[in-house]
Amino acid sequence: LEQAEEKLGKYTIQEVTQEEYKKRIEQLKEFGFPVESEPKFADFLVKHWGGTTQIVKYAGKSTNYLFQNGLLAVKDLIMENPWMWPGIIEMAKAARVFSSELFGIGLTPVKNLIRKNPWMWPGIIKITKAASDISIERDVRRSAYIVFRDLRNIEKITEKGNWPIIVEGFVEMINAIRDDGGKRYYFGMVYVKYIIDLSDVSMWPG
């Protein structure tokens, strides 16, 4: 948490003139962001413009899709926990044009888990960055989605001491199958939760 708050300093609230504020609001509209229906979140994005522009850069041709869908899916996490904002930016950098799918499909199933266990956040970022580095672009969003979809069903990860072990295990597995473009990762990860649930977590990832 302390490290996350330290990173937030890079994307801290910016004081802007009324003219500049209006200009940024218009840019958000150009990105497809629903300013009228999401004024508080729009205000957050305007006042954390350094991070907002970084996300635009990473999303590239998918910017509109991200601002219309992906960011809204994690709006509550960001607004309730501003210190998570730098992590959102890191994940957007990792997922690039698939960041909307990552936020909208991948993180959505585990939002409540993150809320209850905020200490999981650095590990979530680490898994995302590893999964998004798989060689075939097509598998990027699927890889992250598969991991997070099943994490919500793993009761043992709610034990704080187990989480670092599980994170490192996921990263090791991702690295081990990197050469085949993530196909085994995509088709096999759905079964991992049963392995963790039924085995001694101290044996993970062996």
Side-chain angles (χ1 to χ4, degrees), residues 13-203:
I13 293 177
Q14 298 178 357
E15 295 296 331
V16 294
T17 63
Q18 187 174 7
E19 181 181 354
E20 180 62 22
Y21 190 96
K22 290 180 179 179
K23 181 180 177 181
R24 293 178 183 181
I25 286 291
E26 290 304 312
Q27 285 184 274
L28 287 179
K29 291 180 180 179
E30 290 177 10
F31 298 151
F33 186 83
V35 172
E36 286 77 14
S37 60
E38 296 290 346
K40 291 183 179 180
F41 194 27
D43 182 72
F44 178 94
L45 294 173
V46 164
K47 292 179 177 177
H48 295 80
W49 198 244
T52 302
T53 55
Q54 284 295 305
I55 287 177
V56 170
K57 175 184 174 182
Y58 301 139
K61 62 183 181 182
S62 298
T63 294
N64 281 47
Y65 189 50
L66 173 62
F67 278 81
Q68 292 168 2
N69 300 282
L71 282 178
L72 292 176
V74 290
K75 174 193 69 174
D76 45 354
L77 271 184
I78 297 170
M79 297 298 285
E80 292 168 13
N81 306 280
W83 59 270
M84 290 184 178
W85 179 236
I88 293 290
I89 297 167
E90 285 187 62
M91 288 190 282
K93 181 178 181 180
R96 298 284 176 170
V97 296
F98 294 118
S99 53
S100 184
E101 287 89 342
L102 171 63
F103 298 141
I105 301 175
L107 283 186
T108 298
V110 291
K111 284 196 298 184
N112 287 335
L113 193 62
I114 295 170
R115 281 196 186 96
K116 294 177 182 177
N117 307 284
W119 43 264
M120 292 177 62
W121 187 239
I124 293 287
I125 297 170
K126 191 169 185 176
I127 290 173
T128 299
K129 291 166 75 172
S132 297
D133 196 32
I134 289 176
S135 59
I136 295 181
E137 282 190 348
R138 185 166 174 256
D139 288 322
V140 172
R141 63 179 182 271
R142 291 181 173 182
S143 298
Y145 166 57
I146 289 294
V147 172
F148 295 132
R149 183 190 68 184
D150 291 316
L151 280 182
R152 62 182 170 173
N153 296 320
I154 303 174
E155 294 182 2
K156 289 186 179 181
I157 67 172
T158 60
E159 298 175 20
K160 192 171 183 178
N162 292 337
W163 180 234
I165 300 171
I166 292 172
V167 169
E168 291 306 317
F170 275 122
V171 172
E172 282 188 38
M173 285 193 296
I174 293 166
N175 289 332
I177 52 78
R178 191 173 304 282
D179 290 342
D180 71 357
K183 291 183 176 62
R184 278 180 288 168
Y185 184 77
Y186 172 56
F187 291 108
M189 194 59 69
V190 69
Y191 300 106
V192 168
K193 70 185 183 72
Y194 299 111
I195 297 173
I196 301 175
D197 281 340
L198 297 175
S199 66
D200 181 354
V201 74
S202 66
M203 297 174 64

